[in-house]
Amino acid sequence: MLSRLMSSSIRSLDRECNCTVRLLDDSEYTCTIQRDAKGQYLFDLICHHLNLLEKDYFGIRYVDPDKQRVNNKDANISQPPFTMCLRVKFYPPDPAALREEITRYLVFLQVKRDLYHGRLLCKTSDAALLAAYILQAEIGDYDPGKHPEGYSSKFQFFPKHSEKLERRIADIHKTELIGQSPETSELNFLQKAQMLETYGVDPHPCKDVSGNPAFLAFTPFGFTVLQGNRRIHILTWDEVTKLKFEAKTFHIYANQTEDQKIILTYFAPTPEACKHLWKCGVENQAFYKLEKSSQVRTVSSSNLFFKGSRFRYSGKVAKEVMEQSAKIKRDPPEIHRAGMVPSRSCPSITHGPRLTSVPRTRRRAVHISIMEGLESLRDSAHSTPVRSVSHGDSFLPSQGHTVDGGEARASAVISDEAYSPSDSVLPTPVAERGLEMNLNGAPCIVDEDEGGASLEATHKRAGRKAPRALKSRPSPPSDAEELHKFILSVLRLFLVTIGLLFALLLLLIVLTESDLDIAFLRDIRTTPEFQQFHFEYFCPLRRWFACKLRWMGGLLINK
């Protein structure tokens, strides 16, 4: 009896695992769940822990054994390491329309993280105002007794910035934001960030048909392409008609006008990354474009027959989420900003002159190349049609810039004219991916581990990987390849048609000529329609074939 109890307990322990989820405030939530539990179960536990009702904007993210990001609540949590992150999955188009303050606060933490890691690009004037809002939300009104001269330099809002920008931040905080409560400052921060072009951008690295690095992103307003810190394309969700992928190739079909149809083609690093990109696009388009979740349809990436993947978005759409939020009637949950959610980028003044609460080894790996005199992103509406941006809008560092005896410098402090971090980086549960700029201006993604890497080693990796990327850049498909694909598709169609006709012929012979006494065959034979077909069409056709065969046999015998 005791042995059975012990073996049962061991089996129960084998079926369970400890799962750790990093929340938006960098705290950790740990729970014990079954190994075959769905991600939705863990997500519901987190939302209950945070007292969060407007949870459809959020999701859990982890990296699978193939080092591919997964953001699917229906996935099984079956393989270690069981470490995940809570992140905003669908950015609200209008943060002010969120019903509860706890939801706005979590979105505020996500957008603040985007600003810190260079995913949110803005002018220097906008950067100073956004940082001042963060300062007001976390330390309150300016107090000369608590905040000595240069106090804003003890906070790290961006990857890198100048002393002049620090003074601007402090001036705005001292003079323009007096009396604002934390919730008001957070809302003002979100409303300002919402007007920026890269609000809600979650970039996916890829290459265009010429082999040039680019980032594809899905925002609340549509599909956008970033290249060299420039937004070169934007399509609204109403304009996007289809998203398709095949191996590493990703296609975007769009109708800008009735007569103007375009196809954009990009190449992902791996087939798994391309499939993940396709699923993200399908989910975002369904969430932001559709009126009801009942309108969601299963989409396929295939061209013709049995080739490709099928996927269906299973959540609510944005309009339904807003309608459901309007029905929330409860006392606002308490938000512990100081204790429950310590600042990532803005530590308390009383804890000493610490630049950031990010561990030092990881902080050194977060590096972004920025040159003085860069032009800012032009403020444009989110519905701007697809356009190419001239070189005057470029945010790449100028080549050949030298300092200190002619040596090229890969990084500089943030410009006093424009704040524009380099190409966006991708968050992962174990580390933040940094984007490094090598000296020839070609961006490359660098993965850091939890301990981080030195800046010198990162530059060496970037310089070593760039030539290989140029050698292996994909070439655009030629006319012969397109013709070959078309011929293969036609052959597949022909073979499938022949197979179906052959199967129907076999079934017809079995029905008419065999003596098999099977229930469903007997039912078919007794129907009036089949009997009419048998006597009026099949029997005359059989006699005609028999006559022709006898005639051909006679000819062969006479010869």
Side-chain angles (χ1 to χ4, degrees):
M1 182 67 178
L2 181 60
S3 62
R4 286 199 300 270
L5 289 175
M6 292 178 63
S7 62
S8 176
S9 300
I10 292 174
R11 287 195 300 269
S12 177
L13 290 174
D14 289 340
R15 291 194 300 266
E16 295 180 348
C17 63
N18 291 326
C19 185
T20 301
V21 180
R22 290 178 180 166
L23 306 180
L24 283 164
D25 59 351
D26 284 337
S27 64
E28 293 185 348
Y29 172 73
T30 303
C31 62
T32 302
I33 60 175
Q34 298 292 327
R35 287 182 181 269
D36 58 351
K38 296 288 186 181
Q40 182 65 52
Y41 174 75
L42 176 61
F43 180 70
D44 291 338
L45 288 179
I46 299 170
C47 293
H48 178 73
H49 170 72
L50 296 175
N51 203 2
L52 178 65
L53 293 183
E54 296 175 290
K55 56 185 180 181
D56 296 276
Y57 297 106
F58 302 87
I60 53 175
R61 176 181 293 171
Y62 65 97
V63 176
D64 64 14
D66 297 327
K67 297 184 179 181
Q68 177 58 47
R69 291 188 305 161
V70 178
N71 198 352
N72 184 4
K73 299 175 188 177
D74 296 328
N76 286 326
I77 307 170
S78 57
Q79 296 185 3
F82 304 102
T83 301
M84 305 184 183
C85 294
L86 178 71
R87 294 291 182 263
V88 173
K89 184 177 182 180
F90 301 115
Y91 285 74
D94 182 10
L98 295 173
R99 180 74 172 181
E100 295 198 306
E101 184 184 340
I102 179 67
T103 313
R104 283 193 297 272
Y105 180 60
L106 293 176
V107 175
F108 163 78
L109 292 177
Q110 176 68 67
V111 179
K112 186 178 74 168
R113 177 187 293 270
D114 295 342
L115 185 67
Y116 176 80
H117 288 288
R119 290 186 288 269
L120 186 64
L121 310 182
C122 56
K123 301 176 183 177
T124 301
S125 57
D126 294 334
L129 182 57
L130 290 172
Y133 283 138
I134 296 175
L135 209 56
Q136 180 69 22
E138 299 208 4
I139 68 173
D141 291 341
Y142 170 72
D143 186 347
K146 297 180 180 179
H147 308 143
E149 186 69 23
Y151 70 100
S152 62
S153 63
K154 296 178 174 62
F155 298 82
Q156 190 76 21
F157 307 102
F158 318 107
K160 232 173 187 182
H161 51 83
S162 64
E163 294 182 0
K164 185 175 182 180
L165 179 59
E166 292 174 359
R167 291 193 295 270
R168 288 186 187 180
I169 296 171
D171 291 341
I172 296 175
H173 178 238
K174 292 177 183 178
T175 59
E176 300 181 19
L177 306 182
I178 296 176
Q180 280 194 13
S181 62
E183 53 269 21
T184 302
S185 297
E186 291 161 4
L187 178 58
N188 290 336
F189 173 88
L190 290 175
Q191 289 179 325
K192 183 64 179 178
Q194 174 216 347
M195 295 186 292
L196 301 176
E197 289 182 341
T198 50
Y199 168 74
V201 162
D202 184 16
H204 300 260
C206 64
K207 291 185 178 181
D208 60 16
V209 293
S210 300
N212 300 316
F215 285 90
L216 307 187
F218 307 106
T219 73
F221 313 100
F223 167 82
T224 185
V225 181
L226 303 173
Q227 196 169 50
N229 268 348
R230 294 177 290 120
R231 189 179 70 175
I232 61 173
H233 292 307
I234 181 170
L235 295 166
T236 65
W237 287 124
D238 290 332
E239 293 173 341
V240 177
T241 58
K242 186 177 181 181
L243 301 172
K244 189 176 70 173
F245 84 98
E246 181 178 352
K248 298 181 181 180
T249 308
F250 182 69
H251 304 283
I252 305 99
Y253 297 78
N255 293 339
Q256 289 191 292
T257 62
E258 294 182 357
D259 301 329
Q260 186 179 6
K261 298 181 180 181
I262 63 172
I263 301 176
L264 301 178
T265 301
Y266 291 91
F267 301 93
T270 63
E272 293 78 13
C274 193
K275 185 175 182 179
H276 174 68
L277 172 64
W278 173 68
K279 285 186 175 182
C280 289
V282 171
E283 288 182 324
N284 278 270
Q285 186 175 26
F287 183 81
Y288 293 112
K289 181 179 179 179
L290 300 181
E291 297 289 328
K292 298 179 181 179
S293 56
S294 59
Q295 298 175 346
V296 177
R297 297 290 181 265
T298 301
V299 296
S300 175
S301 66
S302 61
N303 289 325
L304 282 176
F305 302 103
F306 319 117
K307 185 179 181 183
S309 301
R310 295 170 65 84
F311 178 71
R312 186 178 187 274
Y313 170 62
S314 59
K316 297 184 180 70
V317 300
K319 189 172 183 180
E320 290 177 333
V321 174
M322 294 298 296
E323 292 174 353
Q324 184 178 0
S325 299
K327 299 177 182 178
I328 296 178
K329 294 182 180 179
R330 66 168 181 174
D331 294 333
E334 187 177 0
I335 302 176
H336 303 282
R337 288 178 172 83
M340 185 186 78
V341 186
S343 169
R344 177 186 180 88
S345 59
C346 304
S348 173
I349 292 290
T350 59
H351 287 78
R354 197 161 46 125
L355 284 178
T356 173
S357 58
V358 182
R360 180 175 300 276
T361 54
R362 289 181 60 190
R363 186 169 68 248
R364 288 189 303 170
V366 180
H367 169 74
I368 296 200
S369 302
I370 304 168
M371 304 301 293
E372 295 188 10
L374 299 179
E375 296 182 10
S376 62
L377 283 172
R378 291 178 294 182
D379 294 328
S380 61
H382 293 287
S383 59
T384 305
V386 172
R387 56 182 174 88
S388 296
V389 182
S390 63
H391 293 288
D393 295 324
S394 175
F395 281 79
L396 286 173
S398 58
Q399 299 185 15
H401 180 74
T402 58
V403 291
D404 299 336
E407 295 181 356
R409 188 175 61 176
S411 63
V413 297
I414 192 167
S415 167
D416 292 334
E417 298 299 328
Y419 167 64
S420 56
S422 68
D423 287 324
S424 304
V425 294
L426 299 173
T428 64
V430 295
E432 300 288 344
R433 288 184 179 177
L435 177 71
E436 297 293 339
M437 280 285 186
N438 56 23
L439 297 183
N440 62 5
C444 58
I445 293 296
V446 180
D447 291 329
E448 291 89 15
D449 55 13
E450 185 65 25
S454 66
L455 213 53
E456 294 78 10
T458 304
H459 279 304
K460 290 180 181 179
R461 289 199 304 270
R464 188 169 61 248
K465 290 183 180 180
R468 290 202 298 267
L470 292 176
K471 292 179 182 179
S472 61
R473 62 175 56 174
S475 59
S478 63
D479 294 339
E481 292 176 349
E482 293 292 340
L483 180 61
H484 181 66
K485 290 182 180 179
F486 175 74
I487 293 175
L488 289 179
S489 299
V490 173
L491 287 177
R492 285 199 302 270
L493 175 62
F494 177 75
L495 292 176
V496 171
T497 305
I498 294 299
L500 291 175
L501 291 176
F502 182 73
L504 289 174
L505 180 60
L506 289 178
L507 178 61
L508 183 61
I509 293 174
V510 170
L511 284 171
T512 56
E513 303 297 330
S514 70
D515 296 329
L516 293 176
D517 190 15
I518 302 176
F520 83 94
L521 294 178
R522 187 170 56 249
D523 294 340
I524 295 176
R525 290 181 184 130
T526 56
T527 58
E529 293 82 1
F530 180 80
Q531 293 180 1
Q532 181 182 4
F533 168 79
H534 182 264
F535 291 110
E536 294 185 7
Y537 298 98
F538 182 79
C539 289
L541 184 62
R542 184 179 57 181
R543 288 193 295 268
W544 182 82
F545 269 111
C547 180
K548 293 296 181 182
L549 289 175
R550 285 194 296 269
W551 176 73
M552 292 178 64
L555 288 178
L556 292 174
I557 292 173
N558 292 333
K559 290 182 178 180

